[in-house]
Amino acid sequence: GDSVTQTEGLVTLTEGLPVMLNCTYQTIYSNPFLFWYVQHLNESPRLLLKSFTDNKRTEHQGFHATLHKSSSSFHLQKSSAQLSDSALYYCALNSGTYQRFGTGTKLQVVP
Amino acid sequence: ETAVFQTPNYHVTQVGNEVSFNCKQTLGHDTMYWYKQDSKKLLKIMFSYNNKQLIVNETVPRRFSPQSSDKAHLNLRIKSVEPEDSAVYLCASSPDRGQNTLYFGAGTRLSVL
């Protein structure tokens, strides 16, 4: 069945360093939609960015990701981490009728 | 912009009791969902409704039952709660069946003693 695999657990970064959170997926669906959601403390998840176009970079709020169907990947990147980026990040895959979420990666940015 | 409204915010109950959670969206979306977020922050689909019709019913215990009166409302009833039901229940809506952005409510945190 469909699945989403993310960088496990906690990623701790020093402010100013680049961010890369990995996401790979498996699906039999030929046109998957991939999403990144961000959940800050005591809030609910909200969309960060999304894509369904192969090899096209999508950007929002300083973050970017490119869907690569050849490698089934949709990694989240940012050139310079900020303290306010500390949050839980979910990668999600549309599998036809609903979005299936990965296990989430907690990003902690420290001074 | 809060457009998916959930009540209550918190609920504490004892094993065996019945609970009900409400969700309303004012976005005019056709599809609504219930997701469960457990203590490890795993986010799993429970149910999905499209225009009042149940379209997804993942493997959840039979004590869980969704109810939809119209496309703007999706409630969740848990008959005879168990300790493992302690979690945050997130309601969400989207314009279509999962290919578009999910808009989440603030969640209902359930604690089962």
Side-chain angles (χ1 to χ4, degrees):
Chain A
D2 293 352
S3 65
V4 179
T5 302
Q6 292 186 235
T7 303
E8 292 255 336
L10 174 67
V11 172
T12 301
L13 282 176
T14 302
E15 189 180 14
L17 289 183
V19 178
M20 176 134 167
L21 303 183
N22 289 336
C23 174
T24 57
Y25 63 91
Q26 283 188 315
T27 183
I28 58 172
Y29 192 51
S30 57
N31 294 302
F33 282 64
L34 273 294
F35 304 79
W36 277 102
Y37 287 83
V38 59
Q39 184 176 23
H40 286 96
L41 192 63
N42 297 323
E43 295 182 5
S44 53
R46 62 172 175 81
L47 181 75
L48 183 56
L49 44 78
K50 63 183 179 184
S51 180
F52 61 91
T53 306
D54 198 12
N55 297 318
K56 182 179 177 183
R57 174 170 160 147
T58 183
E59 300 189 38
H60 187 60
Q61 295 184 335
F63 288 89
H64 63 91
T66 303
L67 175 59
H68 292 295
K69 292 185 181 180
S70 60
S71 58
S72 298
S73 66
F74 191 56
H75 305 319
L76 183 68
Q77 296 179 267
K78 188 178 185 186
S79 58
S80 175
Q82 297 177 297
L83 296 176
S84 58
D85 294 331
S86 295
L88 181 59
Y89 292 81
Y90 289 103
C91 183
L93 163 72
N94 164 253
S95 54
T97 53
Y98 66 90
Q99 289 180 28
R100 183 186 300 270
F101 286 78
T103 54
T105 303
K106 185 173 180 179
L107 176 64
Q108 183 177 59
V109 182
V110 297
Chain B
E1 169 195 343
T2 304
V4 181
F5 304 93
Q6 291 188 240
T7 56
N9 294 326
Y10 303 94
H11 191 82
V12 182
T13 191
Q14 293 186 329
V15 170
N17 285 349
E18 178 176 314
V19 299
S20 288
F21 306 145
N22 300 315
C23 180
K24 171 187 173 181
Q25 56 97 359
T26 59
L27 295 165
H29 290 167
D30 284 339
T31 310
M32 295 184 72
Y33 311 81
W34 279 110
Y35 279 85
K36 179 181 179 181
Q37 187 175 41
D38 66 17
S39 58
K40 295 182 181 177
K41 301 297 185 182
L42 294 177
L43 198 52
K44 289 191 177 176
I45 184 76
M46 299 179 71
F47 301 102
S48 172
Y49 267 74
N50 179 260
N51 242 330
K52 298 197 298 176
Q53 300 274 338
L54 179 65
I55 56 171
V56 170
N57 181 354
E58 285 294 287
T59 309
V60 297
R62 293 180 66 181
R63 61 181 180 276
F64 288 86
S65 58
Q67 296 163 325
S68 179
S69 56
D70 56 56
K71 72 175 191 178
H73 295 83
L74 182 62
N75 300 330
L76 182 67
R77 186 179 77 158
I78 313 174
K79 197 171 162 183
S80 190
V81 295
E82 299 284 339
E84 61 265 29
D85 298 337
S86 294
V88 176
Y89 292 86
L90 288 163
C91 177
S93 74
S94 70
D96 52 31
R97 296 185 187 187
Q99 294 181 341
N100 217 316
T101 303
L102 291 180
Y103 293 83
F104 286 93
T108 295
R109 181 177 296 276
L110 174 66
S111 292
V112 181
L113 304 176

